[in-house]
């Protein structure tokens, strides 16, 4: 059981480039979300999805797009990378009930130069 | 401005000492979770507290949810080097199922 799988683990982009961070879960979870983690800031929610075909914005959505065509996959797209998007990105999935824990991927460390 | 404020941000102590980490908010949460994160890994759930005043123990770790469900604390007794890591609190509002995270407390326990 792989849980939540994120790829790539590391990425360096030039300013203005675009890329997609992949996230897949095999737990049949309804809820999936993307966070970015910066020093001293904890995890901030970028976008989330409560099921296939449904997405919504989190706390810091600007510069990112998401889609949820299947239950398993929730890719995060950077449209035109900026140095301010240098961060560690975590994908998480969660079951539908209140007390279930969020399972996190191992993260993608992104550097924009 | 974060909805959940954790203190202290950094804590360096000797093995065997006790410590308390705080998670405070002006908002009411329907539940609150504590996670521990090690370098290069995603956060892993330690506990979920739901009822105001609730106390949960996990070996040497004691978690408390405030009576008004606006704050929480994590107390570690006789800390060990294996406790070293980033401790994150995360709250859930009634309006949705998404978690709001605090800024984290980075704990280092020296042998």
């Amino acid at each position: 059981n792989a849980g939540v799988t994120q790829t790539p683990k590391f990425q360096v982009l030039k300013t203005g480039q675009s890329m997609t961070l992949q996230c897949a879960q095999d737990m049949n979870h309804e809820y999936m979300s993307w966070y970015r983690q910066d020093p001293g800031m904890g995890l901030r929610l970028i976008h989330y999805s409560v099921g296939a075909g449904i997405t919504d914005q989190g706390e810091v959505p600007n510069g990112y797009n998401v889609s949820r065509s299947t239950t398993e996959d929730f890719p995060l797209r950077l449209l035109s990378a900026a140095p301010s998007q240098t961060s560690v990105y975590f994908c998480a999935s969660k079951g539908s009930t209140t007390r279930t824990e969020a399972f996190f991927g191992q993260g993608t460390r992104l550097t924009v130069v | 401005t974060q909805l959940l404020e954790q203190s202290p941000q950094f804590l360096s102590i000797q093995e065997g000492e006790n410590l308390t980490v705080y998670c405070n908010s002006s908002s009411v949460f329907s539940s609150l979770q504590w996670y521990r994160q090690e370098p290069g890994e995603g956060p892993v759930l330690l506990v979920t507290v739901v009822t105001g005043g609730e106390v949960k123990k996990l070996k040497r770790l004691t978690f408390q949810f405030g009576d008004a469900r606006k704050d929480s604390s994590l107390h570690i007794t006789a800390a060990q080097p294996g406790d070293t890591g980033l401790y994150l609190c995360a709250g859930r509002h009634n309006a949705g199922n998404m978690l709001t995270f605090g800024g984290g407390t980075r704990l280092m326990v020296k042998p």
Side-chain angles (χ1 to χ4, degrees), chain A residues 3-47:
Chain A
V4 178
T5 303
Q6 284 183 240
T7 56
K9 199 165 176 63
F10 302 95
Q11 183 71 50
V12 178
L13 288 179
K14 292 183 179 178
T15 298
Q17 285 185 317
S18 62
M19 80 158 293
T20 300
L21 278 61
Q22 302 291 344
C23 176
Q25 54 94 7
D26 60 1
M27 296 172 282
N28 201 32
H29 282 167
E30 291 182 17
Y31 294 90
M32 295 187 74
S33 50
W34 276 101
Y35 293 88
R36 60 177 287 173
Q37 186 173 34
D38 303 290
M41 300 291 289
L43 289 117
R44 292 182 292 169
L45 183 64
I46 304 172
H47 285 285

Side-chain angles (χ1 to χ4, degrees), chain B residues 2-11 18-25 32-34 62-64 66 70-76 87-90 101-106:
Chain B
Q2 290 190 296
L3 290 178
L4 277 169
E5 298 285 341
Q6 284 189 243
S7 61
Q9 282 191 311
F10 302 97
L11 191 56
N18 301 333
L19 67 116
T20 302
V21 174
Y22 299 94
C23 176
N24 296 302
S25 175
L32 193 136
Q33 296 180 326
W34 284 91
T62 302
F63 304 86
Q64 184 162 8
K70 292 183 179 181
D71 55 85
S72 181
S73 64
L74 158 60
H75 182 80
I76 301 179
Y87 290 83
L88 295 157
C89 65
F101 281 83
T105 294
R106 190 166 297 281

Side-chain angles (χ1 to χ4, degrees), chain A residues 35 43 45 59 98-99, chain B residues 1-6 22-35 48-54 64-73 88-103:
Chain A
Y35 293 88
L43 289 117
L45 183 64
E59 182 185 353
T98 305
R99 301 187 188 207
Chain B
T1 302
Q2 290 190 296
L3 290 178
L4 277 169
E5 298 285 341
Q6 284 189 243
Y22 299 94
C23 176
N24 296 302
S25 175
S26 57
S27 302
V28 175
F29 290 97
S30 58
S31 65
L32 193 136
Q33 296 180 326
W34 284 91
Y35 289 79
T48 300
V49 285
V50 178
T51 307
E54 183 177 2
Q64 184 162 8
F65 202 13
D67 291 341
R69 290 185 288 130
K70 292 183 179 181
D71 55 85
S72 181
S73 64
L88 295 157
C89 65
R92 192 190 80 93
H93 293 286
N94 284 326
N97 205 15
M98 293 302 111
L99 293 171
T100 299
F101 281 83

Side-chain angles (χ1 to χ4, degrees), chain A:
Chain A
N1 189 347
V4 178
T5 303
Q6 284 183 240
T7 56
K9 199 165 176 63
F10 302 95
Q11 183 71 50
V12 178
L13 288 179
K14 292 183 179 178
T15 298
Q17 285 185 317
S18 62
M19 80 158 293
T20 300
L21 278 61
Q22 302 291 344
C23 176
Q25 54 94 7
D26 60 1
M27 296 172 282
N28 201 32
H29 282 167
E30 291 182 17
Y31 294 90
M32 295 187 74
S33 50
W34 276 101
Y35 293 88
R36 60 177 287 173
Q37 186 173 34
D38 303 290
M41 300 291 289
L43 289 117
R44 292 182 292 169
L45 183 64
I46 304 172
H47 285 285
Y48 65 96
S49 169
V50 298
I54 306 170
T55 64
D56 206 346
Q57 295 182 351
E59 182 185 353
V60 288
N62 292 339
Y64 308 95
N65 274 358
V66 292
S67 59
R68 185 95 180 270
S69 56
T70 67
T71 300
E72 294 79 19
D73 300 299
F74 191 44
L76 177 73
R77 280 181 289 277
L78 279 72
L79 309 173
S80 177
S84 61
Q85 293 179 303
T86 293
S87 187
V88 181
Y89 292 85
F90 286 98
C91 176
S93 74
K94 189 176 183 298
S96 59
T97 61
T98 305
R99 301 187 188 207
T100 54
E101 70 178 281
F103 289 85
F104 286 82
Q106 287 195 310
T108 296
R109 184 174 292 275
L110 175 68
T111 302
V112 183
V113 297

